[in-house]
Amino acid sequence: MSDWHDELEFALLPLEDAKIDSDCMTSVISNALSEQGIFHQCRIGYAEDRLSLMVTAPHCWIELEQGWSIDIRLRQWLGDEDDLPHGVFQPSNYPRVRYQGSAWLVPHLDAGDLRSMTNDAYSKLKVPWLAGRARAA
C-alpha cells in the first residue's frame, strides 16, 4: 500500500464505529474526499463472498484511481475475516469477494448533516490532501 493510501485508511478510522450502513458511509466518505478534491467514483450494487456464497445487496463502496477501493462496511455483513476486504485496498488482493455495481451519484451534504449522521465522527476526519501523491503511487 502506498503511504497516501495508508494515511487515508488511518484518517477513516473514526468512522468505523458509526452506526450507519454502506450507503450512508459511502456518502460520508465521498463528501470528505470531494472536500479535498480527490477523484473517486461511488458505486452501488452488491458484494458476493465466493466462499460462503453470501451476498450483501444493496451494497455501496468507493473506487479510487489506479484500482483502489474503499469499503468499511462489508465485514459487517459477511464476517470479520482477514481475507475479506476492509478499509482502503486493491480488490485484486481479495479474490474471495466479487463486487458488481454501477456508478452512483451521492448528494453533497453540509458538515452539520455529516456530523449528525456519524454521531460527530465526521468532525474527527482529517483526509490527507492528495497533492498528486496518488497518481505517483
Side-chain angles (χ1 to χ4, degrees), residues 51-91:
L51 183 62
S52 70
L53 301 180
M54 288 180 60
V55 173
T56 179
H59 187 72
C60 303
W61 66 97
I62 293 175
E63 293 179 353
L64 301 169
E65 292 181 310
Q66 299 180 342
W68 291 88
S69 292
I70 302 172
D71 189 346
I72 58 176
R73 281 296 173 253
L74 185 66
R75 289 184 180 181
Q76 173 182 351
W77 301 110
L78 298 184
D80 191 16
E81 299 178 36
D82 289 341
D83 57 347
L84 294 173
H86 182 80
V88 179
F89 59 92
Q90 290 267 344

Side-chain angles (χ1 to χ4, degrees), residues 18-30:
K19 305 289 189 228
I20 56 178
D21 285 330
S22 68
D23 57 338
C24 290
M25 185 65 73
T26 297
S27 293
V28 168
I29 295 170
S30 176

Side-chain angles (χ1 to χ4, degrees), residues 83-102:
D83 57 347
L84 294 173
H86 182 80
V88 179
F89 59 92
Q90 290 267 344
S92 60
N93 292 336
Y94 295 91
R96 177 175 166 179
V97 174
R98 180 171 69 106
Y99 284 92
Q100 184 68 41
S102 55

